Structures are given as structure tokens and as C-alpha cells.
Amino acid sequence: MREIASRGQLRLAYFRWAIVTVPFMLLLGLGFGSLVPSGDANPWFVQLAKPAIMPPGWAFAAAWAILYVLMGLALAMVINARGSRGRGLALLFFVAQLAINLAWTPVFFGLHKVDIALLMLGALLVLVLLTILLFWRVRKVAGALLVPYFGWLCFALVLFWQIDALNPDAGSLVPSRSVDQIEIR
């Protein structure tokens, strides 16, 4: 016997997934973001010349927190859409873009590879656009929830392109050592 779930049951199933996916996304973002010091906590980054469009440091944390919540909600919708055509492919693209997203901070702030970080942002933009289209086919709202993420990545690409242009020697720049970092032998 096959029964169709009521709207309330479907909503409850979505909320169960969202209770898992939203904190999961926030923890992933926080975890990978804290692998290396970033922003003003990174001496190498502090020394770089910044473009005029550079937002204050707190804006990055706020933006990423909001974006990870939206990503978690979108992910919950697609996971919950069992039986939908294209769901598996949509989830595969989500995981692929997330892997690049999470690897970006250690590459840029940890390895100081500005050129590779720019290539990663370009690949991320393509993957996120495809993920939006695939999520849209599964659940329109899920695709729409990823649009601010795409917009932020477009801004990030322009921002870091300018940082690269202002700092052609960024990869070889050695952060200055502060008094508390000097080793005594």
C-alpha cells in the first residue's frame, strides 16, 4: 500500500534535515576557516595592499555565516526531495563545489597561493552556477537560496583579482615577525 505524505509530514521531514544540515554547514565552514589564521589575524594578509572595495573584516564572518545557513537550508530541501529527477547529480555538484569552497581558505591564507586561489574561485563560480541550476530543477526555492552565495563569489573574484594585481609578489611576501613571535635560542 502506498500512502502520500501530507504537507505537514513533508514540512516536518524537511525541518529534520535542516536541523542537521544547517549546523553541519556552519561547523564545516568554521572548521576549515580556522585551519589557518585569516583576515586581520593573518600577518601575511595584513601586509598585502588592499583595494578600495575591501569590506571590513567582520563583514566576511557575517556574510559567510549567512551563506552557510542558506546553503544548509538549500541542501536540506534537495536531500528531502526523495524521488526527484536529478537529485543525485545536484547533490554531487553541491559536494564538489563545497570541497573547493572549504579548500580555498587554506590555499589563500595558509599557502599564500593567490593565483591558485583565483583559479579556485573561477572553478567555484562555475560549479555553484551549475549547482544552482541543478537545485532549481529539484526545488526552485533550493536553487534560489544559493543565488546570494553566487553573488558573494562574484564579488570575491573581483576583490581577490584586485588584491592579486596590487600584490604581484604576494606569494613570496614573508610576514613580519612581531615581538611575541621571535624565537630565543
Side-chain angles (χ1 to χ4, degrees):
M1 175 182 280
R2 293 182 82 177
E3 295 182 27
I4 297 176
S6 69
R7 285 190 182 272
Q9 290 169 321
L10 292 173
R11 215 171 300 129
L12 183 59
Y14 165 70
F15 285 122
R16 279 191 216 128
W17 276 113
I19 287 171
V20 172
T21 58
V22 171
F24 178 71
M25 291 301 301
L26 286 167
L27 287 172
L28 272 178
L30 178 63
F32 275 83
S34 64
L35 287 176
V36 294
S38 60
D40 293 337
N42 187 299
W44 169 78
F45 184 71
V46 169
Q47 287 184 301
L48 296 178
K50 314 291 187 311
I53 64 168
M54 184 77 179
W58 62 264
F60 288 95
W64 279 110
I66 292 166
L67 294 172
Y68 282 129
V69 167
L70 294 175
M71 290 166 68
L73 293 171
L75 179 61
M77 282 183 192
V78 174
I79 289 173
N80 193 48
R82 283 179 260 137
S84 293
R85 269 183 52 171
R87 177 178 169 255
L89 187 60
L91 291 173
L92 180 68
F93 270 79
F94 184 86
V95 169
Q97 67 79 27
L98 184 60
I100 293 175
N101 172 315
L102 296 174
W104 188 89
T105 298
V107 168
F108 182 79
F109 288 105
L111 300 175
H112 309 159
K113 300 291 185 186
V114 181
D115 51 350
I116 294 172
L118 278 170
L119 290 173
M120 290 172 74
L121 276 173
L124 191 54
L125 274 169
V126 171
L127 285 172
V128 170
L129 181 59
L130 292 170
T131 303
I132 289 170
L133 296 172
L134 292 167
F135 270 35
W136 187 273
R137 288 177 54 201
V138 174
R139 294 284 184 266
K140 288 183 170 113
V141 174
L145 285 171
L146 296 181
V147 171
Y149 176 36
F150 182 77
W152 181 258
L153 291 174
C154 289
F155 171 72
L157 183 66
V158 170
L159 177 66
F160 288 98
W161 185 286
Q162 289 182 1
I163 287 174
D164 184 43
L166 291 170
N167 301 279
D169 61 340
S172 62
L173 185 65
V174 177
S176 62
R177 301 183 87 168
S178 64
V179 174
D180 62 337
Q181 293 174 321
I182 296 175
E183 292 180 36
I184 299 174
R185 294 180 185 220

